[in-house]
């Protein structure tokens, strides 16, 4: 979700990649709630931090579990942590919507407004 929201800001020349400690799949509720707001993410796929092939200037983590490993992976980058609960733990569409909206608000506060779709 975070990658999709940052891309939606349409900042020229901004390279955005999202990854975690383990790669699995994009949860069906994630696909659904992003589709609700006009942001299809079917082209995205889950990646691990080892698959990121750039040296980032800014790293934003959202997972408390992965926070330390992600910060250690790119010590030269500016690092920000947003503690956002994993909606898959509850598994409800409502929880996924709440996380979607929280991430959107934080992305807008950091990068500016999201372009309308």
């Amino acid at each position: 979700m975070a990658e999709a929201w940052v891309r939606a800001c349409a900042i020229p020349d901004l390279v955005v990649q999202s990854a975690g400690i383990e790669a699995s799949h994009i949860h069906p509720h994630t696909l659904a709630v992003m589709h609700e707001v006009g942001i299809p993410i079917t082209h995205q796929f889950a990646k691990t931090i080892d698959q990121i092939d750039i040296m980032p200037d800014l790293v934003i983590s959202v997972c408390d579990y992965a926070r330390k490993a992600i910060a250690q992976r790119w010590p030269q980058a500016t690092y920000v942590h947003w503690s956002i609960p994993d909606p898959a733990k509850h598994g409800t569409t409502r929880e996924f919507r709440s996380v979607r909206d929280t991430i959107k608000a934080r992305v807008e506060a950091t990068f500016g407004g999201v372009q309308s779709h």
Side-chain angles (χ1 to χ4, degrees):
M1 283 191 245
E3 178 179 346
W5 280 126
V6 174
R7 288 183 190 282
C9 290
I11 300 170
D13 302 321
L14 182 67
V15 176
V16 181
Q17 292 187 0
S18 178
I21 301 301
E22 298 174 6
S24 59
H25 66 284
I26 297 176
H27 196 286
H29 287 326
T30 299
L31 296 169
V33 301
M34 293 305 285
H35 180 76
E36 289 175 355
V37 294
I39 300 179
I41 59 172
T42 55
H43 63 283
Q44 289 182 211
F45 62 95
K47 302 174 280 309
T48 67
I49 58 174
D50 293 328
Q51 292 174 285
I52 300 298
D53 58 358
I54 60 171
M55 291 300 262
D57 297 316
L58 173 65
V59 174
I60 300 173
S61 63
V62 298
C63 173
D64 292 335
Y65 171 74
R67 179 181 187 176
K68 188 174 182 178
I70 291 170
Q72 290 174 342
R73 174 77 164 96
W74 296 287
Q76 81 292 346
T78 299
Y79 180 77
V80 177
H81 179 69
W82 298 339
S83 183
I84 298 176
D86 182 356
K89 290 185 179 186
H90 300 286
T92 66
T93 303
R94 180 178 176 172
E95 187 68 24
F96 277 79
R97 284 185 186 119
S98 175
V99 167
R100 174 198 66 200
D101 297 344
T102 297
I103 292 172
K104 179 184 181 193
R106 294 201 184 173
V107 166
E108 286 181 329
T110 303
F111 297 99
V114 171
Q115 305 297 313
S116 56
H117 290 88

